[in-house]
C-alpha cells in the first residue's frame, strides 16, 4: 500500500487515547513510507493523524471541500491540499488516491465515509482493504450491529468480512496487507431462496 485514506473525527473526543492513537497511526504510516490521505483539517483526530505523519516527514494529502475550509480550519503544513467542490467529490478523490482505508473514532461524517466506501467494495467498484482501528473498543457496538445484520440475513458473511478490525495499528495494517476482496460483487449474486 502506497497511501491509506484515514476517516476520522474533526473533534478529539473525550478520551485522550483517541488522539494518541491517531498521532501514532500517522507516525507509523510515515515510517512505513505509506502516505496519508485525509480530510484536510488541523483539528481533532484529523489533525492528530496529519501531525503524526508530518513528524516523520511523511506524505500527507488533505482533501477538503471549499465550503469547509474555514469551518474545519484547513491544515497549512501538508504535502498537498486538494480543494474540491462537494462532499461526494471529496470521497471520490480520497478513494482514487488511496490503496486502502482506515476509520478511527468519529461521528456522522466518519460513519458515512466508512459505509459508502464499504458499499463501493461490496458492489465491486474497488478491491481495497477497509479497516477499523478499534481504539478502546469504540467500535464494538458497530461490530455487534454488523453481526446482527449478518444473523438477520441483511448482510452476507463474505461481505461482513470485508471490514477488518483490530485495536492494534500494526496488526490492522498486517490484516490489510493480506486482504483479498470477494470475487463476486453483490449485484451479481443470485438471491438465496
Amino acid at each position: 500500500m502506497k497511501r491509506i485514506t484515514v476517516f476520522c473525527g474533526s473533534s478529539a473526543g473525550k478520551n485522550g487515547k483517541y488522539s494518541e492513537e491517531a498521532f501514532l497511526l500517522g507516525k507509523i504510516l510515515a515510517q512505513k513510507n505509506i502516505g496519508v490521505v485525509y480530510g484536510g483539517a488541523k483539528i481533532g483526530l484529523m489533525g492528530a493523524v496529519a501531525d503524526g505523519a508530518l513528524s516523520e516527514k511523511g506524505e500527507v494529502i488533505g482533501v477538503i471541500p471549499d465550503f469547509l475550509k474555514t469551518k474545519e480550519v484547513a491544515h497549512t503544513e501538508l504535502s498537498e491540499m486538494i480543494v474540491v467542490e462537494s462532499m461526494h467529490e471529496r470521497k471520490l478523490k480520497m478513494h482514487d488516491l488511496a490503496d486502502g482505508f482506515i476509520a478511527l473514532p468519529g461521528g456522522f461524517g466518519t460513519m458515512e465515509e466508512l459505509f459508502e466506501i464499504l458499499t463501493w467494495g461490496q458492489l465491486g467498484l474497488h478491491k481495497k482493504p477497509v479497516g477499523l482501528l478499534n481504539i478502546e473498543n469504540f467500535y464494538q457496538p458497530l461490530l455487534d450491529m454488523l453481526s446482527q445484520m449478518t444473523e438477520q440475513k441483511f448482510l452476507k458473511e463474505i461481505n461482513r468480512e470485508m471490514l477488518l478490525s483490530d485495536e492494534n495499528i500494526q496488526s490492522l495494517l498486517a490484516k490489510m496487507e493480506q486482504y483479498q476482496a470477494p470475487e463476486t460483487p453483490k449485484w451479481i449474486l443470485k438471491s438465496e431462496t
Side-chain angles (χ1 to χ4, degrees):
M1 293 181 289
K2 292 181 182 173
R3 289 186 185 134
I4 289 179
T5 286
V6 179
F7 302 132
C8 59
S10 58
S11 297
K14 73 178 204 175
N15 186 336
K17 186 81 169 160
Y18 301 148
S19 291
E20 288 174 27
E21 288 291 304
F23 186 90
L24 185 59
L25 174 63
K27 186 174 182 173
I28 288 172
L29 291 174
Q31 289 169 346
K32 292 179 174 284
N33 288 324
I34 299 173
V36 171
V37 178
Y38 84 116
K42 69 176 182 182
I43 55 175
L45 298 189
M46 294 171 77
V49 170
D51 290 343
L54 293 170
S55 76
E56 295 289 324
K57 305 202 181 333
E59 177 192 46
V60 183
I61 300 173
V63 183
I64 194 166
D66 188 53
F67 74 93
L68 285 181
K69 273 196 316 190
T70 54
K71 289 182 185 172
E72 286 191 345
V73 193
H75 204 301
T76 56
E77 306 298 321
L78 306 181
S79 310
E80 183 179 358
M81 178 67 83
I82 300 170
V83 180
V84 295
E85 292 296 314
S86 68
M87 295 296 281
H88 182 74
E89 193 178 341
R90 178 195 225 180
K91 281 181 296 204
L92 189 57
K93 179 58 79 174
M94 291 168 88
H95 165 270
D96 291 347
L97 291 170
D99 302 305
F101 307 88
I102 294 177
L104 302 179
F108 285 155
T110 303
M111 294 298 98
E112 189 269 337
E113 291 166 333
L114 171 65
F115 280 107
E116 183 154 2
I117 213 69
L118 280 169
T119 302
W120 291 358
Q122 184 182 37
L123 294 172
L125 300 175
H126 73 78
K127 294 186 178 289
K128 302 171 184 181
V130 181
L132 286 180
L133 187 57
N134 195 14
I135 304 166
E136 302 280 295
N137 281 320
F138 178 84
Y139 278 114
Q140 193 55 54
L142 177 64
L143 295 169
D144 292 343
M145 187 69 224
L146 296 178
S147 295
Q148 170 77 344
M149 290 174 180
T150 306
E151 286 171 24
Q152 297 301 317
K153 304 295 185 197
F154 288 102
L155 185 63
K156 293 186 182 301
E157 185 62 36
I158 194 169
N159 297 125
R160 164 64 189 90
E161 292 170 1
M162 290 171 54
L163 182 59
L164 309 171
S165 177
D166 208 292
E167 65 279 352
N168 179 277
I169 294 167
Q170 299 283 12
S171 299
L172 181 60
L173 291 173
K175 288 178 183 179
M176 291 175 72
E177 289 285 352
Q178 298 164 9
Y179 176 74
Q180 295 287 321
E183 287 301 313
T184 310
K186 175 183 170 33
W187 63 274
I188 293 176
L189 294 177
K190 294 179 182 173
S191 63
E192 295 177 355
T193 53

